[in-house]
Amino acid sequence: MARGGAHRCQMTGRAMAATVVRRYGAVAVVAIGGEIDVQTAGRLRADLLSLADSGHIHLVVDFGAVSFCDAAGLGVLVAVGNRLREKGGTLCLAGVRPAQRRILRITRLDALFPTYDTVDEAFQH
């Protein structure tokens, strides 16, 4: 994934941006903004898997600017997390809003993805 980039859904006009904001060895921090739904999830999945395949097997995903995430978005997290674990890596989330934390807790995905209040906190673990 190139540094930066916004992906806009042509049918609805909704945008999702995924930007690599920091790289350090096998760790990459990716800031996501906008809506992660059935229209944008495929692009996000491809971007995150591309990072994993290029050696960044520890991903910190900053959800601070995510306004909406549906089941397709959760599916992306599961698929990418599985690929990273196969490679000995991890996926953790930072800046997750309370409503989204609740969904992670209800779906028990909070057990798969460590969640931190800030990117810096996640980056240190």
Side-chain angles (χ1 to χ4, degrees):
M1 171 170 59
R3 189 172 181 92
H7 307 287
R8 185 171 300 280
C9 171
Q10 303 228 340
M11 290 175 50
T12 64
R14 287 182 284 201
M16 184 276 306
T19 307
V20 177
V21 295
R22 192 182 319 176
R23 294 178 199 231
Y24 183 78
V27 179
V29 177
V30 181
I32 301 174
E35 297 183 7
I36 306 170
D37 59 17
V38 70
Q39 300 294 324
T40 60
R43 180 77 253 159
L44 180 60
R45 183 176 193 257
D47 288 348
L48 295 178
L49 289 176
S50 175
L51 281 169
D53 292 341
S54 68
H56 298 288
I57 61 169
H58 300 288
L59 297 183
V60 175
V61 179
D62 182 357
F63 255 60
V66 172
S67 58
F68 177 79
C69 182
D70 69 6
L74 296 177
V76 167
L77 296 177
V78 171
V80 172
N82 288 342
R83 174 81 61 88
L84 292 170
R85 277 188 294 283
E86 288 171 4
K87 295 174 175 274
T90 57
L91 184 140
C92 61
L93 305 174
V96 180
R97 295 174 187 211
Q100 294 165 344
R101 280 184 189 243
R102 183 172 178 258
I103 291 169
L104 290 171
R105 191 172 45 254
I106 289 168
T107 59
R108 298 191 179 175
L109 291 176
D110 59 339
L112 289 178
F113 310 116
T115 304
Y116 301 93
D117 291 332
T118 67
V119 169
D120 287 335
E121 184 182 325
F123 196 75
Q124 293 174 6
H125 286 94

